Amino acid sequence: MDKKRKLVLADRMYIFTLFTFLAGIYFFSEQIKIVTVIATMIMLFDFVVLYQKISFSNISIMCLWVLYIVWGCISLVFSNSVDGNNVLEFYVGIIIPLLMTSMYLHENLREHVIKMLTTFCFFVFGGCVLQTAFPDVLKAFNAYRMGSLKYSWFLEFLNHGYTVGFSFQTGVTAFYLAILVLIATNKLFSQYLNLKEKCFWMIVNFISAIYMFNTGKRVFIALAFLIIIFLSCLYYRNHILKILLGAMVLVSFLYVMVFYTPVGTVLINRMNSIDPTRGRATIYSSMINAIQENLFFGNGVTSTLNNLSHFQNAHNIYLQIIYETGIMGLLILLVVFLIPLVCSIRILNKQIKEKKDSTCISICCAIQLLFLGWGVTGNPLYDNYPLIVYMIVVGVVMSKIKEEIYGR
């Protein structure tokens, strides 16, 4: 059967390349272009020399992305404020991860891809532990590999007591910690773990949640909470008391963290400030007014970077998409986002009802929800690392769909 297929050299190289890509972008953020070129060359070698013949799992998704890129090029005709280099970087940032993650993955490879992602999250987690135990070592390590500007950002977060780890931004660290929290939670939902394994994931979940909260990133705290509640409702739909008990535990944890920690005090003060959105309300108002001027075609891909240069981005990918590529661009990407998400929920629901191991699909569903939810207040579509992670889990889901349709 397909699920018993062993990993061949090409499979292991594929996993290694994805891990190297993620690690390269995370640890060497100053050399993202070099990291991307190296990862692309390794992946091409893997596809052409080792695999020799590959099949794609998500042709429909690929076509929709291509349609969005073509429409984005059309939108450029109506723009007077676009930097060609920004456009090229944005498109390359979509195309490379898309090609890397569109290959059909058999079941064993899918599971190992999720294990790879889990392993990488543990590296991020390790940076948080290092910050707690040996902050001077972390300072020395980050000073060695970061530029002066990014190192100054890292020091500022560190000195204010935020969890930042190996990164220069708490947002990057919070993203991977939120994924680790969701992975650990999904592990706890599984009925195939023994007591020791459940205890291990419970500890990981608890510590990761504390570190995630200590980044001070409200969106990830809120999204992790809501996604866990959503998944609990799926897994325990016939056990209302379990859902209520889980919700009570989560609320109690948040209550303690908000009212009895320094970061919690900062969050309360931020919510009670004149502008709790930290400038987002102003940005959104400006974007909405500008959108009305060119609703259908938009103002050109990456035009936001020039028109909102002080803020760098719209802090909302949906507003930014419709501003740059119009209502058509937004509709295309909404379909791109919804197809794998709906498929994930459908497969997950089916596996839960049939009492099959649903951990892999459940993790993919959770990460998609995290990415799309973050898009309401952040910029995951326009950053390398979240888009790569998102496309990895979409590739896993679409491979499962192809397997169900064609019996691969």
Side-chain angles (χ1 to χ4, degrees), residues 218 267-278:
R218 294 170 292 177
L267 294 180
I268 292 174
N269 293 336
R270 192 180 296 168
M271 293 301 296
N272 292 329
S273 64
I274 297 175
D275 183 12
T277 67
R278 305 194 73 184

Side-chain angles (χ1 to χ4, degrees), residues 54-74:
I54 63 173
S55 62
F56 292 102
S57 62
N58 56 349
I59 297 296
S60 59
I61 299 295
M62 292 178 69
C63 290
L64 286 168
W65 275 112
V66 171
L67 179 61
Y68 174 73
I69 291 173
V70 171
W71 182 259
C73 291
I74 294 174

Side-chain angles (χ1 to χ4, degrees), residues 362-374:
S362 185
I363 290 172
C364 292
C365 179
I367 293 175
Q368 288 178 78
L369 289 171
L370 183 71
F371 177 89
L372 297 176
W374 182 17

Side-chain angles (χ1 to χ4, degrees), residues 90-142:
F90 176 62
Y91 281 156
V92 169
I94 291 175
I95 294 170
I96 297 301
L98 182 63
L99 291 175
M100 286 184 175
T101 58
S102 296
M103 181 185 76
Y104 169 75
L105 312 174
H106 58 81
E107 186 165 348
N108 195 16
L109 183 53
R110 293 198 297 268
E111 292 175 357
H112 277 79
V113 166
I114 297 300
K115 287 179 181 178
M116 175 277 299
L117 187 57
T118 304
T119 302
F120 182 75
C121 289
F122 271 112
F123 272 87
V124 177
F125 178 82
C128 302
V129 174
L130 186 63
Q131 177 179 333
T132 303
F134 305 103
D136 291 336
V137 175
L138 181 65
K139 286 181 184 179
F141 179 72
N142 284 351

Side-chain angles (χ1 to χ4, degrees), residues 274-295:
I274 297 175
D275 183 12
T277 67
R278 305 194 73 184
R280 285 175 172 80
T282 303
I283 298 173
Y284 297 164
S285 177
S286 174
M287 292 289 288
I288 290 171
N289 292 331
I291 285 169
Q292 298 172 7
E293 297 175 4
N294 203 342
L295 183 61

Side-chain angles (χ1 to χ4, degrees), residues 17 39 55 76 109 131 168 189 199 207 229 242 285 359 400:
T17 306
S55 62
L76 294 174
L109 183 53
Q131 177 179 333
F168 60 93
F189 286 143
C199 287
I207 299 175
I229 293 296
K242 285 187 177 181
S285 177
T359 305
K400 178 63 178 176

Side-chain angles (χ1 to χ4, degrees), residues 311-351:
F311 300 101
Q312 294 185 328
N313 62 73
H315 291 281
N316 183 309
I317 62 173
Y318 308 104
L319 278 179
Q320 190 157 339
I321 291 167
I322 195 171
Y323 173 81
E324 294 181 352
T325 56
I327 191 70
M328 275 297 297
L330 179 63
L331 290 176
I332 293 168
L333 282 191
L334 284 179
V335 175
V336 170
F337 294 148
L338 287 175
I339 287 176
L341 179 61
V342 172
C343 289
S344 300
I345 296 173
R346 183 180 65 80
I347 296 172
L348 176 59
N349 196 40
K350 178 182 176 182
Q351 290 180 335

